[in-house]
Amino acid sequence: MPNPSFEDTLVCPSTLDQLDASLGWVSYRSSPDYFNSCSNIVNVPNATWGFQNAHSGNAFVGIATYRININPNDSTYREIIGINLTSPLQIGTKYYCSFYAVRSDSILTGYASNNLGLRFFSNSYSKTNPVPIDNISHMAYSSMLSDSVNWTRISGSFIADSSYSYVSIGNFYDDFSTTV
């Protein structure tokens, strides 16, 4: 996976919703936020949504895995990030995956939820063509991600059933399938 810790930047982020400042990463749904120590506004560790050191290096991305919706008919607001893999996955091969996550310590955004995970795709998505929220992922953290101080390692494995070229991180489960 290219740029696994978001350290490679195109420009220093100057406001929220600038994931594209991190080389290769794009929004697959809604408006994830890119935080980097080079910024005075979306800084690490004094991030907009609370104090948090990066797991490693000087950067991280903030995503909403759940949001209380004003519209009761919309149970799918999620922020999801994605990137093009350096090479497609091989069908029938077992892959071991891991990443680190931490809950925001902000009272406005600090919901603890489950189902944060990975999903692989053969095509990419964007804000205008968002990834579906259809209760499917290749790997999901079934426990509540509740620690707002220590980064939690989320890991698992799966056997590729397609030659996927893209990986995404987020909660692909609707509110009815997500524990908060």
Side-chain angles (χ1 to χ4, degrees), residues 2-95:
N3 199 8
S5 62
F6 313 102
E7 300 298 316
D8 298 332
T9 61
L10 297 171
V11 296
C12 187
S14 58
T15 187
L16 295 172
D17 191 20
Q18 289 188 325
L19 177 60
D20 56 354
S22 180
L23 184 65
W25 288 96
V26 295
S27 172
Y28 273 21
R29 189 176 189 92
S30 302
S31 58
D33 301 315
Y34 177 52
F35 299 93
N36 193 302
S37 63
C38 68
S39 176
N40 292 327
I41 306 299
V42 283
N43 194 356
V44 172
N46 297 308
T48 306
W49 304 118
F51 182 90
Q52 185 60 56
N53 288 305
H55 176 262
S56 63
N58 301 307
F60 63 83
V61 171
I63 61 172
T65 60
Y66 172 85
R67 180 177 84 174
I68 294 176
N69 291 302
I70 297 169
N71 179 353
N73 296 321
D74 180 13
S75 66
T76 62
Y77 181 88
R78 301 288 183 265
E79 293 178 346
I80 296 175
I81 62 174
I83 194 164
N84 190 352
L85 297 169
T86 53
S87 61
L89 302 185
Q90 301 298 311
I91 297 172
T93 299
K94 187 171 190 174
Y95 289 91

Side-chain angles (χ1 to χ4, degrees), residues 144-163:
M144 297 284 282
L145 184 61
S146 58
D147 195 334
S148 64
V149 176
N150 302 297
W151 290 84
T152 300
R153 183 173 186 250
I154 298 173
S155 62
S157 64
F158 79 104
I159 297 173
D161 60 355
S162 185
S163 56

Side-chain angles (χ1 to χ4, degrees), residues 75-152:
S75 66
T76 62
Y77 181 88
R78 301 288 183 265
E79 293 178 346
I80 296 175
I81 62 174
I83 194 164
N84 190 352
L85 297 169
T86 53
S87 61
L89 302 185
Q90 301 298 311
I91 297 172
T93 299
K94 187 171 190 174
Y95 289 91
Y96 296 89
C97 310
S98 67
F99 65 96
Y100 289 87
V102 64
R103 181 181 62 83
S104 167
D105 71 355
S106 168
I107 193 165
L108 298 173
T109 61
Y111 293 103
S113 70
N114 67 340
N115 290 333
L116 178 61
L118 296 177
R119 188 166 175 185
F120 293 86
F121 294 98
S122 297
N123 56 312
S124 66
Y125 289 91
S126 67
K127 288 181 186 180
T128 57
N129 176 33
V131 66
I133 302 300
D134 53 7
N135 301 326
I136 298 170
S137 67
H138 289 97
M139 184 182 87
Y141 187 64
S142 60
S143 299
M144 297 284 282
L145 184 61
S146 58
D147 195 334
S148 64
V149 176
N150 302 297
W151 290 84
T152 300

